[in-house]
Amino acid sequence: MIDLKRIRAVALDVAGAGQSYQRQDDLSELIWQLLERHYRMFLFSSQGQDTLSGEDFTHSRLVFLREEMPPSQAMLEAHAELLAPDTLWITDDEQLQAWLHAAGLPFLHLQPQRRPCPGG
């Protein structure tokens, strides 16, 4: 169980945010609420074609991670908080989830996980 009281930063996967205006609005609202509560935010996309290069919004507690995930050693050195146990990762990307699990980092997913059918 993740102790949410210890969380100080959130690394949020915004893959597919451009699929609809409603999804964009929902993500924007979530990000603003977290920033207003003084969380540090790391935004990234697990979809390789979406590099977030067009994003130019700035905030003192907001960082756009424009590289592919899982993070490179250089990215981890530049943003040591990404490896901190008080940074919560939110992603539906299974490869990144496997990396987070192996690293012992807290993470959540938004979409229901696919489970194999019994006997199938």
Side-chain angles (χ1 to χ4, degrees):
M1 185 76 164
I2 297 171
D3 182 3
L4 294 176
K5 292 178 184 174
R6 295 187 57 213
I7 300 301
R8 300 289 173 249
V10 175
L12 178 63
D13 189 350
V14 296
Q19 291 175 348
S20 73
Y21 290 118
Q22 183 63 46
R23 181 155 164 81
Q24 287 176 338
D25 288 348
D26 291 346
L27 279 172
S28 296
E29 182 66 26
L30 173 64
I31 293 164
W32 270 115
Q33 287 182 14
L34 292 171
L35 288 171
E36 287 176 351
R37 289 178 171 88
H38 302 286
Y39 287 92
R40 182 140 168 92
M41 294 290 306
F42 296 94
L43 301 181
F44 67 94
S45 177
S46 59
Q47 294 178 350
Q49 71 273 17
D50 185 6
T51 62
L52 303 178
S53 60
E55 300 296 333
D56 60 358
F57 177 78
T58 59
H59 190 283
S60 61
R61 290 184 304 279
L62 177 66
V63 176
F64 288 98
L65 303 174
R66 293 182 166 93
E67 296 178 25
E68 288 188 24
M69 292 289 157
S72 66
Q73 187 61 36
M75 184 186 296
L76 294 173
E77 289 172 6
H79 304 288
E81 288 176 278
L82 294 174
L83 289 175
D86 61 358
T87 296
L88 176 64
W89 289 74
I90 303 173
T91 183
D92 289 327
D93 183 79
E94 292 177 358
Q95 179 184 359
L96 182 54
Q97 288 175 0
W99 180 85
L100 293 164
H101 180 73
L105 298 171
F107 68 92
L108 297 173
H109 54 85
L110 299 176
Q111 299 296 322
Q113 293 294 90
R114 293 185 300 269
R115 301 199 189 281
C117 295

